[in-house]
Amino acid sequence: MKKIVSMFMAAAMVMSLGACGSSDAGQQAGSSQGGGEDGVTTIKLMMSQTQEPGVSAAVEAFNKAYEGKYVCEADYLAFDNVFETLEILMSSQSSEYDVFAADGPNIAAYAQRGYLTPLTDYFTTEEVEMFTPPMQVEAFYNGEMYGAPMGDSSLVLYYNTALLEQAGIDYDFSALNGENRITWEELVKIAEQAQSKLDPDGSKGIFGIEFQQVGRTYQMNVLANDFGGENIGADGFTVDGVFNGEPWQKALNWYQDQVDAGVFTKGINASDTSSYFMSGKIIFYLGTTAMPGTFDSNGFTDYGYTYVPCFEGYENEVTTSCGSWTVGINPYSEKTEAAVEFIKYLCLYDGSDVYIDVSGMVPAVSRQFTDELLAAKPYLEIAQYEGANTALVRAITPGFNEYATAVNALWENVRNGADPAQAAEDCISELNTAFMEYR
């Protein structure tokens, strides 16, 4: 019922927007590239509220830099409403928004549905290569560029320094680097050793290891990837032979064993893991590079960080999470020239610097990993290395939403005791059915 009400509200909003814009439709059509009566072209941006601080600062800078030529007006929607509103806008072929936010893994779906204008002809090869390697992958689908990455994300292994000290464990994490990581096997041993000292009977509820986004494909899939497993077949649809293949089955069984042993948590939601880590209930915590901001705002200082682990014998297979929001052009927009100018400003040039500075995101542009940035946020050295060497984008498929729902359930079912082989088969069956509409 909530979703129905939400969609009715979104539909009403679209109708209202269309009505408001209808009176000057002729003027807009006549000024699609050349500006209105005052020579200024106004473009409208739809963006997630999660990105408002950084984007609003970049929009302000854009409007000042292009004063007298272009103006960008931005609307910020709640995260979930972005997706629903976009579906309604595109189904009605609305030109209300010229540029809109497209979550990175949804680019394939939007491209296939015709929701995005190809950007390939507007970006030079040199401009595309300004993005980091994984963000170049995320921006393209079937050989065409559809979204320009605003920023990126990366995975880091955090550890509670106070708990390790209390447990009498002295491990030189500073000696680790991208070429010399701690293994998952060694990490489990240290975690179990610390648990035996800190919480021998389990009464304090101290766990050894946990993912920030437990039960979610964005981070959990690295376990399967670390054994050499793919996220999905090269065609964007094949999952039979993936989830029931050896790498995934190794990962699912290993994970379940650690949950059963009490090393990983059980029953804790992704929204609560950071609170557990900061309150001393989790020793090792795999989270994004955004976490230090959360730690600092909560006065939590008992933490260190290092590179994501690898499995013994699979050191060359290690992968890390990446990806974030991109922006694309509405195919029904009449202001493509101005929209392209804004996107380049926001994602490649001066506006990109403003956005990264205010948002705190990992840069999606290689040049932004400056000595100044790394000195202020040294943990971004890890993100810089991973982005160049280990970062793997999420499954590239037009059915990503269905994929994420099914794979999230796969990880959660295994966490709760389901047989990994049967859980994988159930996931495969569900996705084979879901993907039928896209084939």
Side-chain angles (χ1 to χ4, degrees), residues 47 56 61 185 197 240 263 269 282 295 312 331 402 436:
M47 179 58 60
S56 62
E185 291 84 354
K197 297 286 185 64
D240 192 2
V263 176
N269 295 323
I282 295 173
F295 299 156
E312 290 179 5
E402 291 86 345
M436 288 178 66

Side-chain angles (χ1 to χ4, degrees), residues 110-340:
Y110 293 160
Q112 189 176 73
R113 295 175 195 171
Y115 292 1
L116 292 166
T117 296
L119 299 175
T120 315
D121 292 340
Y122 301 105
F123 280 70
T124 66
T125 300
E126 291 74 19
E127 286 176 325
V128 171
E129 291 176 349
M130 290 172 68
F131 294 112
T132 59
M135 292 302 92
Q136 292 181 40
V137 174
E138 188 171 72
F140 279 76
Y141 179 65
N142 283 345
E144 292 276 6
M145 181 180 182
Y146 285 98
M150 292 160 44
D152 195 5
S153 59
S154 190
L155 195 59
V156 172
L157 174 64
Y158 298 97
Y159 50 91
N160 189 305
T161 55
L163 290 180
L164 290 175
E165 183 177 354
Q166 292 171 29
I169 295 174
D170 184 17
Y171 188 95
D172 186 11
F173 288 100
S174 65
L176 302 177
N177 56 48
E179 303 298 323
N180 174 39
R181 301 166 185 263
I182 192 171
T183 64
W184 283 107
E185 291 84 354
E186 188 174 9
L187 189 69
V188 167
K189 289 180 181 178
I190 295 174
E192 290 178 327
Q193 181 183 348
Q195 285 178 284
S196 68
K197 297 286 185 64
L198 300 169
D199 191 12
D201 60 0
S203 61
K204 296 180 181 178
I206 296 178
F207 294 91
I209 311 170
E210 193 50 278
F211 285 89
Q212 172 195 352
Q213 296 189 22
V214 60
R216 297 179 185 173
T217 177
Y218 168 67
Q219 291 180 351
M220 299 299 298
N221 279 24
V222 300
L223 295 176
N225 301 148
D226 281 358
F227 278 119
E230 299 175 305
N231 285 324
I232 198 167
D235 63 354
F237 298 109
T238 300
V239 289
D240 192 2
V242 177
F243 303 143
N244 51 2
E246 183 179 357
W248 271 83
Q249 286 300 300
K250 277 186 176 181
L252 292 169
N253 278 280
W254 180 87
Y255 176 59
Q256 188 174 77
D257 288 344
Q258 308 317 316
V259 172
D260 291 345
V263 176
F264 281 80
T265 73
K266 188 174 185 177
I268 296 175
N269 295 323
S271 58
D272 297 326
T273 57
S274 61
S275 297
Y276 273 76
F277 180 64
M278 290 185 291
S279 62
K281 298 297 183 181
I282 295 173
I283 302 166
F284 294 103
Y285 187 60
L286 290 113
T288 69
T289 50
M291 292 312 302
T294 300
F295 299 156
D296 293 347
S297 64
N298 284 274
F300 177 68
T301 58
D302 295 328
Y303 72 94
Y305 49 85
T306 187
Y307 291 76
V308 172
C310 60
F311 283 108
E312 290 179 5
Y314 295 86
E315 287 81 1
N316 293 329
E317 301 287 354
V318 64
T319 64
T320 53
S321 309
C322 68
S324 186
W325 289 97
T326 72
V327 284
I329 297 178
N330 181 349
Y332 305 110
S333 170
E334 299 167 334
K335 305 173 184 178
T336 304
E337 181 181 305
V340 169

